[in-house]
Amino acid sequence: MSHQPAESEVDSWIEIVRQKVSALRFGSVQIIVHEGRVTQVESTEKTRLAADSTPAQVKK
C-alpha cells in the first residue's frame, strides 16, 4: 500500500532542499528516502581554489 504524504510534509522538505541549494556555490544536495518518505537532506559544499593559488612545483 502506498502512503501519500500530506501537502505540508512535502512542502517542508522541498523548502529545506531549496534553502540548501541556494546556499551552495559548488557542491551537492542529497535526498534520503526511507519507505517512500524523505527522511534526510544532506548537503556537501566544495571549496574551489583558483589555479594561481596552488603552490609552485619545486625544481630539482
Side-chain angles (χ1 to χ4, degrees):
M1 186 187 312
S2 69
H3 165 69
Q4 292 288 20
E7 189 171 329
S8 62
E9 186 178 331
V10 172
D11 290 343
S12 175
W13 70 262
I14 288 175
E15 185 55 34
I16 291 169
V17 170
R18 283 187 180 129
Q19 289 171 3
K20 293 203 176 273
V21 168
S22 67
L24 285 176
R25 180 162 169 147
F26 299 102
S28 61
V29 175
Q30 185 175 16
I31 301 168
I32 310 301
V33 178
H34 182 72
E35 294 184 358
R37 211 175 123 248
V38 174
T39 58
Q40 189 171 328
V41 179
E42 299 176 359
S43 64
T44 303
E45 186 168 358
K46 306 292 183 184
T47 302
R48 301 279 174 125
L49 303 176
D52 60 351
S53 68
T54 58
Q57 292 188 355
V58 178
K59 294 182 182 180
K60 292 184 180 182

